[in-house]
Amino acid sequence: MKKFNIRKVLDGLKEVSSSTPSVQVGPQENHLIQETLQSEHFQLCKTVRHGFPYQPSSMAFDPVQKILAIGTQSGALRLFGRPGVECYCQHESGAAVIQLQFLINEALVSALADDSVHLWNLRQKRPAILHSLKFNRERITFCHLPFQSKWLYIGTERGNIHIVNVESFMLSGYVIMWNKAIELSSKAHPGPVVHISDNPMDEGKLIIGFESGIVVLWDLKSKKADYRYTYDEAIHSVAWHHEGKQFICSHSDGTLTIWNVRGQGKPIQTITPHGKQPKDGKKPEPCKPILKVEYKTTRNGDPFIILSGGLSYDTVGRRPCLTVMHGKSTAVLEMDYPIVDFLTLCETPYPNDFQEPYAVVVLLEKDLVVIDLAQNGYPIFENPYPLTIHESPVTCCEYFADCPVDLIPALYSVGSRQKRQGYSKKEWPISGGNWGQGTQSYPEIIITGHADGTVKFWDASAIMLQVLYKLKTAKVFDRNRSKEDKGSTETSDEDPFAIQIMSWCPESRMLCVAGVSANVIIYRFSKLEVTTEVVQLLEVRMQYELNDIESPDGGGGGGEQTSAHPTPGASPQTSGPPSHPSTSSNNSDGGNIPCLKVRSTPLKQSPGYQVDLVVQLVWVSGEPPQQITSLALNSSYGLVVFGNSNGLAVVDYIQKTVVLNLGTVELYGSNDPYQRQPRSPRKTRQPSGGLCDINEGSATSEDRCKSPTSGNLSFSVLLRERKGGRVFVKRDVLFFPAKMSRKLSLPTELKPDLDHRDNSFSRSRSSSVTSIDKEAREAISSFHFCETFARKGDSTLTHCLYVGTSLGTVLALALTLPPAGEQRQLQPVIISPTGMLVRLKGSILRMAVLDSTGSQVPPAYEPWYEPNVTADGEEREKVRKRRPVSVSPSTSQDLNESQYAVVCSEKQAKVISLPSQTCIYKHSITETSFILRADVVQMSQGVCVACFCANGHIMTLSLPGLRPLMDVNYLPLTDMRIARTFCFTNLGQAMYLCSPTEVQRITYSQDTCENLQEMLGELFTPVETPEAPNRGFFKGLFGGGAQSLDREELFGELAAGKASRSLAQHIPGPGGIEGMKGAASGVVGDLARARIALDERGQKLGELEERTAAMMASADSFSKHAHEMMLKCKDKKWYQF
C-alpha cells in the first residue's frame, strides 16, 4: 500500500476500489468516466453467408418461384433468388445432400446420404424443416416428385421403390419390389434404382431405370410391368420426350439410346456423341460415361439433347464439357471445373407440354454457370452473385463498417471498367424472392487478399455482397523468372505473390500490402490512367545479430544508413535489383538479393489503385529475409511501418526513403528487461518465419508453437507427425511457411478432426509465452500511430508510434515531422525511441488511444486527393494539410490525466493513464487459451474491445473499465482458416471465412439482431401456378391427352394398407416452431406477414370469384344450348334422328 500512497502524492490521485473481481485497479482519478455500453447492448447471431457453396453435391430449380437450391457434401443448403436474395440452412446431421426436389411453388424436399428425407418450409425468411423421414433398412439412391403431386417416389439401393405422402410424411403401404419389376426368368439383381419418372401423358405409368441397364415401364394400377427394355451397358440417367411416346437413356460407355415406349427389344436409335465412327460399320469406340441427359422439345424446331460427360478416352487433359445437340449441330461447351449437375430451365413447369428450353444452369465443383440457349453461340449470363471469393485462395481479410460515403461509388466506377465482355444480353433467369426492408444503411467494405497477389474490394452494405474492384499486385513484379534464376527448388515458392497483411486508410484511400516474399507495396487511388516508366523501389536489409548492437544495419535508400536518422539527400534506388545467377542456400556473400524481381519495363496503370512505392527486404549473409509480421500506414504523416522477427523499418513514402531500421533489441536501449543470449551462426537453414517452431538451431522436444500475432499469418504448427525422427508438416493445415525454405501450397481444405488430434489450439502451445530461453527472437506484432503524450509527464501531445512485440512489450517512438508543404518533401522525419510504456502477458495484438471522455481518438489522416493532377500550387496544398487533432488546452495545462492507452495482448488487456503512464485497469481475458483477434470497435452507444479466442469464445469488454459485457462460446472448434480471417469492425459487425469459398458474417450488436428479420430477403413470393396446356379438341375426343390418376386411391391407407413400421421413422421438424419464432420477431415482420397472408387470401378469393363467374357463364351457355336443342328436336320423330 505504501507504493500507492507515494503515487497518490505525486499524481494527486485517489484510490478507488475494484469494480469487478477480475479487473485489478491501481490508483484512479476522481473523474470517473461514465460508461454507456451495457451487456444488454450485445447479442451474438449469424447474419448471412456469402460465396460459392463449398463442395456442392446437388441442385434443383423451382420454375414458378424461380429459386435455385444447391446442396453440399456437408449437409448445407443454399437458396438463391434474384441478386441479393440468398439464404443458408444446414441439415443437423451434416450428411451430404444427394438430391433436391422442389414441391413446385410450395416447398423443398432434400434427400441425404444418411438415408433421410426432409421437407423444408420456404414460406419464412429462414427456411426450416417441417418433417423428416429416416430409413432404417434401405439406402436411398433416387427420388422423384411429379409436378402437382403429393406422393414422392423413393428408389433404393436394393432396387425397391417406396412412396411417401409429402403432406404427412408417412410411408404408403404400396411398394414396387425389384423382383416384381424385372422378368421372372432373370436371376441377377438389377442393381440400385438410378431413375424414376412418370410418363408425361399418363401418370399411371412409371419408368424405372436400374443401374445394370434394365428399364421397366410399370403400370401403377395393375401393379405389374407393361414393358421391359434391356441394354448391355449400365444406365446413368433417363429422360422423357414430352409426348410420352419416347424416352432417352445415357450409358456408361458414352452412348445415348432412344426407345419407343411400345417398341420391344432394341432401341430405335443409338448415338455416341463424342465417339469416332469407324467406316466398316463396327461399333464406335467406347467413351467416358454420360452422367446425365436431358431431352427438351421446342414448338417450332428441333429438340435439344443436353448431356454431361461422354468424351472419348483419348482426349487426355481435356476440360469437362457440356454438350448441346440441337438438330444437326453439336456444341461442346468447355467448363473450368468438373460438372456436379446441370438443369435445363424451360418456359413451362408441365412435363406434357412443349418444353421450350431457354437456359442451362451448370453446377461445377467451384462455380455456377448459366448458359443462354436462345442466342447463337450459347453465351453465358453474367453471374450477379458473389461467388468468386475463392478464385484464388483467400489469405487475409479486413472489414470496414461505416466508411466514408463516397468510397463505394469511387471503387465501383473504377471496377466497372474491369468487367468482361461477351455475356448474354438477357436478364439473369434466377429471379425469385424480394429484397429485405432493412433500415441499416451505413457503407461497409470487405477487403480480401489472395494467394495469387490479388486484392478484392467488396461492397458489404445491408447484408449483401458484391465485388467492387480487383487489384493485381503481381503486375509490379517480373513473372518470367529464368531457370538459373530460380536456383534450387527450395528457393522458389508456389505462391510468391500471396498477400499476407493489408493496411488501408479509407479516408485517404491509401493502401499498403505486405506479401509473403517479404515485400511491401504502397498504392495511391487515382481516377486517371497513368504509365509509370520506372517503378520506385527501396531495398532494406534487416538483420538480427546481438553482438552487432553498436552498428545497427542501415536501411537501403541510396547509401547504407548507419544512424537512425538518415541524411536528407539520400536518393532512393529506383532500378530493379541486380540480377543474380543463383540464390542457393550456400550463397556465402549474401548478395543483397530480394526474393522477387521488380519489373524494369514501363507499367501501364488503369484508374484505381496505382503503385507508388515498392519496399523489398533482401537476403542477408545467405539468409532469406524474415516474413513481415506487422504493418501500419498513416496518410497524415506519410509513413509506412513494418516489422518482422528481426526488428522494424519506417519508410517515408513521400520522400521515398527509409527513416528508421532498428533491431527489436535496440528499441529498448539500455532498458532491455530480457537477458538475451548472443546468437550463434546457423549451420543449416531452417524454416524461420515463426511457423515451424524449430528454434534456430535445434528442435525442442516439446512441440512448442509460437503465438499467432494479429498480422502474423505464419501461424502455429497445429498438426505434426513424426516419422523416423523427421517432422512432417500437414500441408492442408499449415499456412504460409517461412519464405524461401520449402515448397508448400496454401491450404485448400482443413481436416475436420483437427481438434480431436490436438485437443484445441490451447494445448498446442506452451504456457510460458515469455520464456526467453526457448525464444531468442522477439517479433514485432503490432503498430499504432497516434497523437499522444510520448513521455511520462509530458504536457503536450506529439505524433507517436506505439510498437507491440511478441513478448508483450509496448514501446513508444516519438515522431518529428517537417511542416506540411514543400518542407515535407525536403526535410527528414526524425524518430526517437522514448522507452517502454507497458508490459503484458502474451503477444500484443491491438493498441488504441481514448480521450478524457472515453471516446476513441482516431489516427490522423489526410483527405483523398487526385495524385495525378499536374496543377500543383496552393489548392493542392490546402487539401494536403493534415487534419488537426483537437485537444482542449485546459486539460493539457492542468496536467490532469487526459488520455488513456488501451493495450490488448493474447492473454490480457490493460488501460494506462497518460501522461502519468500508470496502469488503472487490467483484465485477464483468458488463462487456458489465447486470443486470435482483438479490435477496439465503435458501437452506436460507445467504444469496446472485441476479442475472438482460440477456444471459440467471442467476448467484449467495456472501455476504459474493461468490464466483461459479453462472452459467448460461438465456435465449438476453430480451424486455421477462421483464425486467419476473423475480423471485427465497428457497429457490431464481424466476419470470417467458414470454408475456402464462403464468408460468414455475424453480428454482436443487439440492434442488428433485432432488425435482422426485416433486413433478410424474402425467398417465397405468392405466385400463381401457370395454367395447364390446352388438350385440344381431337385429343379430348379420342383420349390422346394426358391421363390423370387418382394417386390417393392407389397409395392411400385404405387401398395400400400401412407400411412396415421398422422401415422408416417419422421425425417432426422444428420448422413449425421456428416459423412462429420468426413471425414473432419484430412488429414489421408481423405486419409484413399479415399483409402477405391477406394478399394470398385476396388472390384466392379473387380466383374463386373468377371461377364462380366462369361456372355461371358456362351454365348459362349450357342452358341456352339445351333450349335450342329442345326446340330443334321437339317436332321430330324418333326415326328422323
Side-chain angles (χ1 to χ4, degrees):
M1 285 308 288
K2 202 169 184 181
K3 191 175 171 187
F4 283 170
N5 293 336
I6 291 167
R7 285 200 184 168
K8 216 187 292 181
V9 172
L10 287 174
D11 294 323
L13 303 171
K14 288 189 179 169
E15 199 175 337
V16 176
S17 62
S18 164
S19 53
T20 59
S22 58
V23 179
Q24 299 165 15
V25 183
Q28 238 178 348
E29 309 80 326
N30 43 17
H31 57 271
L32 271 175
I33 292 171
Q34 189 64 44
E35 287 181 2
T36 46
L37 275 174
Q38 302 300 327
S39 53
E40 58 265 22
H41 293 137
F42 295 92
Q43 185 188 339
L44 194 72
C45 70
K46 289 183 180 179
T47 51
V48 67
R49 183 173 288 205
H50 305 291
F52 183 76
Y54 184 53
Q55 295 180 327
S57 54
S58 55
M59 175 171 66
F61 182 72
D62 185 324
V64 177
Q65 284 290 329
K66 300 217 178 316
I67 302 171
L68 182 77
I70 295 176
T72 74
Q73 290 179 28
S74 57
L77 197 57
R78 291 283 295 282
L79 295 145
F80 295 91
R82 65 177 62 195
V85 177
E86 53 179 287
C87 175
Y88 158 75
C89 321
Q90 177 69 45
H91 292 91
E92 266 184 39
S93 67
V97 181
I98 52 172
Q99 207 178 344
L100 291 169
Q101 287 260 303
F102 273 102
L103 186 58
I104 291 173
N105 209 11
E106 283 295 329
L108 175 69
V109 174
S110 59
L112 269 59
D114 65 355
D115 311 308
S116 59
V117 187
H118 308 270
L119 178 70
W120 289 86
N121 173 21
L122 302 179
R123 290 171 184 260
Q124 56 197 59
K125 287 196 171 181
R126 290 223 156 145
I129 291 173
L130 290 168
H131 297 283
S132 299
L133 195 65
K134 178 90 168 70
F135 281 75
N136 299 323
R137 296 196 308 237
E138 299 228 31
R139 309 231 53 188
I140 298 172
T141 53
F142 193 87
C143 300
H144 171 62
L145 182 63
F147 179 47
Q148 292 181 321
S149 157
K150 65 173 187 182
W151 297 93
L152 171 73
Y153 301 106
I154 296 179
T156 69
E157 203 171 49
R158 289 187 184 175
N160 304 324
I161 292 173
H162 300 279
I163 298 162
V164 175
N165 181 326
V166 177
E167 286 172 0
S168 64
F169 245 56
M170 301 307 258
L171 274 168
S172 160
Y174 191 115
V175 183
I176 303 170
M177 304 299 281
W178 68 270
N179 52 0
K180 300 268 173 59
I182 63 167
E183 300 211 25
L184 293 173
S185 58
S186 168
K187 287 177 182 156
H189 188 278
V193 174
V194 292
H195 182 84
I196 310 166
S197 58
D198 47 346
N199 186 322
M201 286 295 180
D202 186 353
E203 293 174 352
K205 301 280 196 279
L206 200 66
I207 225 166
I208 305 163
F210 294 98
E211 194 180 65
S212 63
I214 298 169
V215 177
V216 175
L217 186 70
W218 181 265
D219 187 318
L220 288 165
K221 281 183 184 167
S222 63
K223 300 185 184 178
K224 64 179 181 27
D226 277 0
Y227 297 104
R228 295 181 181 93
Y229 318 86
T230 50
Y231 191 72
D232 51 9
E233 288 293 339
I235 288 178
H236 284 279
S237 73
V238 183
W240 279 102
H241 185 284
H242 84 272
E243 288 174 347
K245 293 174 183 169
Q246 283 184 350
F247 61 90
I248 186 167
C249 299
S250 77
H251 299 277
S252 57
D253 63 345
T255 56
L256 297 171
T257 52
I258 300 176
W259 304 74
N260 272 340
V261 169
R262 295 172 187 274
Q264 285 288 295
K266 285 188 172 180
I268 54 163
Q269 196 181 353
T270 303
I271 313 164
T272 312
H274 295 282
K276 293 191 181 81
Q277 297 292 338
K279 288 176 182 167
D280 49 7
K282 286 182 185 169
K283 272 181 85 176
E285 59 181 56
C287 294
K288 292 173 186 173
I290 295 176
L291 300 175
K292 184 173 180 179
V293 64
E294 292 206 340
Y295 195 8
K296 302 294 178 188
T297 51
T298 57
R299 219 171 227 99
N300 313 315
D302 295 310
F304 282 87
I305 295 175
I306 302 165
L307 55 117
S308 65
L311 294 177
S312 64
Y313 279 102
D314 62 359
T315 52
V316 179
R318 180 91 177 265
R319 294 197 292 179
C321 293
L322 185 84
T323 308
V324 180
M325 298 165 73
H326 184 223
K328 289 183 178 168
S329 79
T330 299
V332 180
L333 309 173
E334 286 199 338
M335 301 291 156
D336 288 338
Y337 304 102
I339 297 171
V340 175
D341 196 2
F342 74 88
L343 295 169
T344 310
L345 309 189
C346 300
E347 297 288 354
T348 175
Y350 291 90
N352 57 0
D353 194 11
F354 285 98
Q355 297 298 289
E356 304 294 349
Y358 61 90
V360 184
V361 181
V362 190
L363 178 64
L364 308 175
E365 274 184 12
K366 292 184 181 179
D367 202 2
L368 181 75
V369 177
V370 182
I371 296 158
D372 184 351
L373 287 179
Q375 277 186 45
N376 284 341
Y378 305 133
I380 64 168
F381 288 87
E382 184 175 5
N383 195 323
Y385 304 136
L387 302 182
T388 58
I389 292 167
H390 62 286
E391 226 172 5
S392 167
V394 176
T395 52
C396 56
C397 303
E398 291 298 334
Y399 188 4
F400 299 86
D402 211 9
C403 302
V405 286
D406 57 346
L407 251 181
I408 288 174
L411 286 164
Y412 181 78
S413 71
V414 293
S416 56
R417 301 175 199 186
Q418 300 176 328
K419 295 262 170 79
R420 274 176 49 197
Q421 302 301 310
Y423 289 113
S424 166
K425 303 281 186 292
K426 292 196 184 145
E427 289 286 306
W428 180 251
I430 303 158
S431 56
N434 284 321
W435 291 313
Q437 308 296 314
T439 49
Q440 287 192 358
S441 58
Y442 47 84
E444 295 174 71
I445 291 178
I446 289 173
I447 309 180
T448 52
H450 299 261
D452 64 353
T454 50
V455 175
K456 286 184 190 172
F457 290 78
W458 305 82
D459 176 4
S461 314
I463 69 169
M464 291 191 189
L465 192 73
Q466 75 177 90
V467 73
L468 289 170
Y469 172 72
K470 183 172 162 183
L471 168 68
K472 294 179 178 172
T473 64
K475 279 185 179 174
V476 173
F477 302 105
D478 270 343
R479 280 169 176 271
N480 47 351
R481 292 189 285 178
S482 62
K483 279 181 187 170
E484 319 81 76
D485 202 29
K486 278 192 173 178
S488 62
T489 50
E490 197 186 17
T491 58
S492 71
D493 200 349
E494 282 180 25
D495 295 303
F497 308 111
I499 305 293
Q500 207 164 356
I501 315 170
M502 300 177 292
S503 178
W504 187 51
C505 172
E507 288 79 13
S508 67
R509 305 184 191 169
M510 290 293 297
L511 171 72
C512 186
V513 296
V516 70
S517 301
N519 56 291
V520 172
I521 314 174
I522 299 156
Y523 288 92
R524 286 185 188 275
F525 184 84
S526 170
K527 291 181 177 177
L528 305 172
E529 188 174 291
V530 68
T531 300
T532 308
E533 291 301 323
V534 178
V535 175
Q536 297 272 292
L537 170 68
L538 270 179
E539 293 187 347
V540 180
R541 287 166 60 91
M542 288 178 88
Q543 198 169 359
Y544 178 85
E545 290 295 342
L546 269 165
N547 41 13
D548 232 17
I549 288 174
E550 291 75 37
S551 56
D553 288 315
E560 294 249 85
Q561 271 104 43
T562 48
S563 66
H565 317 309
T567 47
S571 60
Q573 177 184 335
T574 49
S575 64
S579 60
H580 48 288
S582 155
T583 56
S584 61
S585 55
N586 48 14
N587 190 348
S588 53
D589 60 333
N592 280 350
I593 300 153
C595 305
L596 295 173
K597 191 174 178 212
V598 172
R599 64 185 286 159
S600 45
T601 51
L603 175 65
K604 183 184 165 192
Q605 307 209 62
S606 309
Y609 275 101
Q610 298 173 350
V611 65
D612 190 51
L613 177 66
V614 180
V615 184
Q616 286 187 298
L617 295 185
V618 293
W619 284 57
V620 179
S621 316
E623 291 279 320
Q626 296 297 306
Q627 282 195 342
I628 292 163
T629 56
S630 50
L631 176 73
L633 165 142
N634 187 292
S635 59
S636 172
Y637 307 161
L639 298 178
V640 162
V641 57
F642 57 91
N644 62 14
S645 57
N646 287 342
L648 67 94
V650 181
V651 170
D652 177 346
Y653 63 78
I654 293 169
Q655 294 185 20
K656 312 278 189 284
T657 56
V658 177
V659 181
L660 183 73
N661 180 358
L662 269 186
T664 321
V665 184
E666 297 154 279
L667 284 170
Y668 288 97
S670 56
N671 305 326
D672 191 353
Y674 305 117
Q675 298 300 309
R676 298 171 201 266
Q677 295 300 314
R679 179 176 159 236
S680 58
R682 287 204 216 177
K683 292 181 179 65
T684 54
R685 292 186 24 237
Q686 298 272 10
S688 53
L691 173 85
C692 304
D693 195 20
I694 305 166
N695 294 309
E696 303 305 19
S698 60
T700 51
S701 56
E702 82 179 280
D703 278 357
R704 183 167 169 278
C705 291
K706 217 171 140 186
S707 60
T709 57
S710 62
N712 180 4
L713 298 182
S714 14
F715 218 105
S716 338
V717 177
L718 278 189
L719 301 185
R720 289 187 178 170
E721 288 178 10
R722 292 197 174 275
K723 291 183 185 168
R726 292 193 340 207
V727 176
F728 282 75
V729 174
K730 285 278 190 199
R731 102 182 243 153
D732 285 349
V733 179
L734 285 184
F735 173 68
F736 270 150
K739 182 72 197 88
M740 294 307 203
S741 33
R742 79 306 88 208
K743 199 165 180 180
L744 260 188
S745 67
L746 292 169
T748 47
E749 57 193 86
L750 284 126
K751 299 281 183 270
D753 59 345
L754 182 87
D755 257 322
H756 307 305
R757 193 131 15 126
D758 229 89
N759 267 340
S760 93
F761 270 128
S762 46
R763 300 274 180 89
S764 70
R765 306 162 36 85
S766 82
S767 55
S768 58
V769 179
T770 51
S771 55
I772 307 304
D773 48 350
K774 290 189 188 155
E775 189 48 80
R777 295 206 172 181
E778 180 174 14
I780 306 291
S781 58
S782 59
F783 293 114
H784 183 67
F785 282 105
C786 52
E787 314 253 336
T788 185
F789 302 101
R791 295 166 184 83
K792 194 169 183 173
D794 269 10
S795 56
T796 51
L797 298 177
T798 46
H799 311 307
C800 262
L801 170 63
Y802 280 167
V803 180
T805 76
S806 56
L807 296 184
T809 309
V810 177
L811 300 143
L813 301 175
L815 314 173
T816 310
L817 301 169
E822 204 177 311
Q823 292 299 307
R824 180 65 186 84
Q825 302 280 351
L826 304 172
Q827 292 184 25
V829 175
I830 295 166
I831 301 181
S832 39
T834 61
M836 192 162 70
L837 177 70
V838 66
R839 281 185 62 201
L840 281 78
K841 274 190 205 160
S843 182
I844 303 291
L845 299 182
R846 188 68 66 222
M847 297 169 285
V849 175
L850 309 180
D851 64 15
S852 56
T853 64
S855 312
Q856 191 173 359
V857 179
Y861 62 83
E862 167 187 79
W864 176 76
Y865 64 91
E866 175 55 66
N868 292 331
V869 177
T870 47
D872 49 10
E874 289 175 26
E875 282 185 41
R876 185 162 164 186
E877 285 313 326
K878 270 183 207 163
V879 216
R880 293 205 54 178
K881 283 276 184 350
R882 220 181 41 241
R883 188 195 63 144
V885 175
S886 59
V887 177
S888 59
S890 61
T891 52
S892 303
Q893 285 158 12
D894 294 351
L895 246 176
N896 272 343
E897 304 293 333
S898 54
Q899 278 193 340
Y900 304 97
V902 181
V903 185
C904 186
S905 77
E906 294 177 318
K907 294 283 186 182
Q908 56 182 181
K910 283 185 181 180
V911 173
I912 291 100
S913 176
L914 300 174
S916 67
Q917 297 192 0
T918 49
C919 175
I920 54 167
Y921 294 104
K922 175 178 162 188
H923 178 68
S924 178
I925 303 172
T926 175
E927 290 293 340
T928 53
S929 184
F930 59 94
I931 295 159
L932 293 163
R933 175 82 185 208
D935 287 288
V936 175
V937 290
Q938 182 72 50
M939 303 290 283
S940 46
Q941 300 88 357
V943 192
C944 68
V945 181
C947 308
F948 172 54
C949 202
N951 59 16
H953 283 252
I954 290 177
M955 294 166 274
T956 57
L957 305 171
S958 74
L959 281 176
L962 299 178
R963 285 179 302 120
L965 296 172
M966 179 185 78
D967 185 351
V968 179
N969 188 1
Y970 172 66
L971 288 166
L973 62 95
T974 55
D975 63 33
M976 296 293 288
R977 186 183 306 102
I978 296 172
R980 189 173 79 234
T981 56
F982 199 103
C983 38
F984 295 99
T985 185
N986 295 334
L987 301 167
Q989 308 293 343
M991 63 150 282
Y992 59 92
L993 253 78
C994 52
S995 77
T997 62
E998 293 163 293
V999 164
Q1000 177 68 55
R1001 285 165 70 182
I1002 60 176
T1003 181
Y1004 48 98
S1005 150
Q1006 174 69 36
D1007 296 351
T1008 311
C1009 287
E1010 282 175 1
N1011 295 322
L1012 191 58
Q1013 277 296 323
E1014 282 110 71
M1015 289 167 74
L1016 290 170
E1018 204 104 39
L1019 266 172
F1020 191 91
T1021 47
V1023 184
E1024 192 59 37
T1025 303
E1027 281 191 15
N1030 245 337
R1031 283 171 68 180
F1033 176 72
F1034 288 107
K1035 280 189 177 176
L1037 200 64
F1038 300 113
Q1043 303 289 315
S1044 63
L1045 167 81
D1046 188 350
R1047 294 187 177 93
E1048 187 68 53
E1049 201 179 295
L1050 270 180
F1051 305 146
E1053 210 172 292
L1054 289 170
K1058 284 189 175 178
S1060 158
R1061 279 194 177 176
S1062 59
L1063 182 65
Q1065 66 190 92
H1066 174 255
I1067 307 153
I1073 307 158
E1074 274 190 35
M1076 292 298 288
K1077 270 190 204 160
S1081 70
V1083 182
V1084 182
D1086 279 345
L1087 291 171
R1089 272 174 195 75
R1091 191 186 70 235
I1092 290 164
L1094 280 169
D1095 282 355
E1096 283 186 7
R1097 191 174 165 206
Q1099 271 185 326
K1100 284 173 184 164
L1101 286 169
E1103 287 163 30
L1104 196 65
E1105 214 171 302
E1106 282 165 22
R1107 283 184 198 150
T1108 314
M1111 280 168 71
M1112 281 170 74
S1114 70
D1116 216 26
S1117 72
F1118 181 74
S1119 71
K1120 268 187 196 168
H1121 283 300
H1123 190 65
E1124 282 168 22
M1125 287 288 287
M1126 188 264 293
L1127 291 174
K1128 264 187 196 174
C1129 307
K1130 196 168 70 167
D1131 300 329
K1132 288 189 179 180
K1133 299 283 184 280
W1134 65 270
Y1135 51 81
Q1136 288 175 307
F1137 280 102

